[in-house]
Amino acid sequence: MKIKKQHRKKKYLHKLNRKRMHIKQKSTGEVNCKPIKDAWDFKKSSLRNMKEMGLANDPNKVIKIPNFKQEKVRQAKKIVNQEDSDSDIEEEEVLPVPKKEVVEILEKEARARRARKFMLPKPQVEFITYLLDKYGHDYKAMAKDKKNYYQETWKQLRAKVKTFMGIPKQYSEYLASKGLLDKEEDEEELKKLAKALIMDDDD
């Protein structure tokens, strides 16, 4: 007796836009990198585009990872054929990718200094500013404070204060609220001030 195949009943889903779904599935995504996006030619293949920009389409072909098995096979063939060490099997040389304008722009962007986006959470800022207001830079007194719930050592609290002082945006707001800094003061001056305070604490 043959077992009948059970076919799931196909349902037409009205909420799905088949055309839009097909386009989304076919799409490989947008290029977010502006230099590559500007230089991209949609009439050419991705391989050709990358090659003309001076970029590698497949990094594994440009930077080869040594293969233990292939190396042992090469050595075995060398012993079997009784070849001299000078007449090794020629390996395919990968030519360096020529540097183009896009590569130079990308390298320049990679070397450029980025703004620090790290920010401390609000509760932590409130705790640090509370300690600074009450004890100044007396870290040993901070460690004995009743609000030090996690029993952090004076060195741990000092590290937290230094981190806070190293964030110009949050530290400038604190200094401005105390009337110690003009809001329009240059960020570089603030960094120098924070560095000087940190150096004083180390002493």
Side-chain angles (χ1 to χ4, degrees), residues 26-162:
K26 194 178 177 183
S27 174
T28 54
E30 283 189 25
V31 180
N32 295 323
C33 183
K34 194 177 181 301
I36 296 174
K37 196 173 184 178
D38 294 340
W40 195 271
D41 188 354
F42 289 96
K43 293 179 181 178
K44 298 174 184 176
S45 66
S46 60
L47 183 67
R48 191 173 174 187
N49 268 300
M50 298 290 274
K51 191 176 180 181
E52 288 180 0
M53 288 180 204
L55 301 171
N57 189 56
D58 186 359
N60 294 321
K61 289 182 180 178
V62 178
I63 304 167
K64 285 193 174 181
I65 299 168
N67 191 308
F68 179 77
K69 187 179 177 181
Q70 287 179 2
E71 182 64 26
K72 289 296 175 186
V73 169
R74 188 183 67 79
Q75 288 177 5
K77 283 181 179 178
K78 186 175 160 185
I79 293 164
V80 169
N81 297 329
Q82 295 179 350
E83 292 178 353
D84 297 325
S85 58
D86 296 333
S87 61
D88 289 342
I89 298 167
E90 292 184 2
E91 294 180 1
E92 186 183 349
E93 291 185 5
V94 179
L95 296 172
V97 181
K99 286 191 176 182
K100 304 285 182 181
E101 188 181 347
V102 178
V103 178
E104 289 172 5
I105 294 166
L106 291 173
E107 285 180 349
K108 191 177 178 181
E109 284 183 1
R111 287 193 296 266
R113 193 174 179 181
R114 286 169 177 77
R116 190 176 181 184
K117 294 181 180 179
F118 175 74
M119 302 284 276
L120 289 171
K122 192 178 177 181
Q124 202 166 348
V125 172
E126 288 173 356
F127 175 62
I128 292 166
T129 51
Y130 158 76
L131 293 173
L132 286 171
D133 290 341
K134 193 171 181 180
Y135 302 104
H137 292 279
D138 187 357
Y139 302 110
K140 289 184 180 178
M142 288 180 188
K144 295 174 184 177
D145 191 88
K146 62 181 180 180
K147 286 192 177 181
N148 184 15
Y149 304 125
Y150 297 105
Q151 295 295 301
E152 291 176 297
T153 63
W154 69 271
K155 286 187 178 181
Q156 288 173 321
L157 292 170
R158 184 181 65 177
K160 280 190 174 184
V161 171
K162 284 184 179 183

